[in-house]
Amino acid sequence: MKIVRILAGSVLAASVSTVALAQEELETPEERLSYTIGMDIGGSLAEQDIDLDMDLLVEALRASYNGEETRLTEEEALAERDAFMQRRQQQMEVERAQEASVNLEEGEAFLAENAEREGISVTESGLQYRVIEEGEGASPTAEDRVTVHYKGTLIDGTVFDSSYDRGEPATFALNQVIPGWTEGVQLMKEGAKYEFFVPSELAYGEQGRPGPIGPNSTLIFEVELLEVGDGESQE
């Protein structure tokens, strides 16, 4: 909101002869800059998905830019912004709660059906896994560092992370990742390739992660254990 407000003060340069400019080439630096700022503000407002009265918006921009009297005082405008932010926050919380409920229900249904598939094993914690290829090397402990190739997807097939796509494996301490990984990778031996189906409580839970991993998301990982290292010696 603050960025939009700052830009809004500048966009009035574009309000002069708007109709004429729409039919003419933008020739002067002032015209081109004015139009550019208008595009920036319009795009920023569109991204925020706010219902606006464009006539009133332009009226307020013009009055503020020209130092004229506005329909709202500064105090009234500040109160309205605060009220809007509160409404938006409440709306986001409701939507997130709804998303969490849907994700949990869909995840539980997926795991229940998946558990009946041939080749699927289920641990006491609820972690599910499928052996794609067994290895012959060492198995890690929770304190070890491991080097893996992996791909992570949602249950709808959306890929949210992939070391294969980055072109290099990942190395990390096994006790510093989600519980589903800490438990699951310990079941593997070097050279093995498993598929893990991770319930939300063994992944990112109600918090989710920025991006496609919403609250209560069940995750699927294809993991290839390349190397097991000593956690202390590789710090």
Side-chain angles (χ1 to χ4, degrees):
M1 293 294 294
K2 184 177 181 181
I3 294 176
V4 172
R5 186 184 180 195
I6 293 174
L7 289 175
S10 304
V11 77
L12 264 295
S15 66
V16 181
S17 303
T18 303
V19 176
L21 285 176
Q23 300 174 349
E24 299 177 1
E25 293 293 332
L26 302 174
E27 297 179 351
T28 69
E30 180 186 12
E31 290 173 350
R32 297 181 67 84
L33 176 61
S34 299
Y35 199 85
T36 297
I37 294 175
M39 290 173 60
D40 288 344
I41 293 178
S44 178
L45 289 173
E47 290 176 358
Q48 297 184 55
D49 190 26
I50 306 173
D51 291 329
L52 294 171
D53 185 317
M54 296 306 295
D55 291 335
L56 287 174
L57 185 147
V58 172
E59 175 191 321
L61 289 174
R62 189 190 307 275
S64 297
Y65 184 79
N66 291 329
E68 300 170 354
E69 184 177 359
T70 55
R71 298 197 195 189
L72 297 177
T73 65
E74 284 292 327
E75 291 76 13
E76 290 172 332
L78 179 60
E80 180 55 41
R81 282 194 296 271
D82 290 343
F84 166 75
M85 293 302 294
Q86 185 175 3
R87 293 194 303 271
R88 174 59 67 92
Q89 181 64 32
Q90 292 172 345
Q91 179 185 0
M92 290 175 62
E93 290 175 357
V94 170
E95 291 175 351
R96 187 168 181 83
Q98 292 174 340
E99 180 185 7
S101 178
V102 170
N103 287 344
L104 183 61
E105 182 178 347
E106 292 181 346
E108 289 176 346
F110 170 83
L111 290 170
E113 182 178 352
N114 192 64
E116 301 300 321
R117 291 173 52 205
E118 184 178 354
I120 298 297
S121 299
V122 184
T123 70
E124 186 176 347
S125 70
L127 176 69
Q128 299 181 5
Y129 67 95
R130 179 176 69 92
V131 177
I132 300 175
E133 182 178 348
E134 280 290 14
E136 297 181 353
S139 292
T141 68
E143 288 72 35
D144 286 331
R145 293 176 65 86
V146 295
T147 299
V148 301
H149 257 314
Y150 69 94
K151 179 177 72 172
T153 64
L154 305 179
I155 60 176
D156 66 1
T158 299
V159 177
F160 59 82
D161 194 10
S162 173
S163 66
Y164 296 104
D165 290 347
R166 291 193 296 273
E168 61 178 343
T171 299
F172 49 81
L174 201 52
N175 59 5
Q176 295 179 358
V177 291
I178 60 174
W181 268 72
T182 302
E183 177 185 358
V185 177
Q186 291 184 77
L187 301 173
M188 306 175 69
K189 296 180 179 180
E190 286 179 329
K193 188 172 187 179
Y194 281 24
E195 186 174 28
F196 295 106
F197 307 88
V198 186
S200 62
E201 64 270 20
L202 299 179
Y204 297 105
E206 294 182 355
Q207 296 301 314
R209 296 280 289 178
I213 303 179
N216 289 337
S217 289
T218 294
L219 306 180
I220 303 172
F221 291 96
E222 185 176 290
V223 180
E224 184 178 359
L225 181 56
L226 303 178
E227 184 179 2
V228 176
D230 185 336
E232 293 185 2
S233 64
Q234 296 190 35
E235 287 293 335

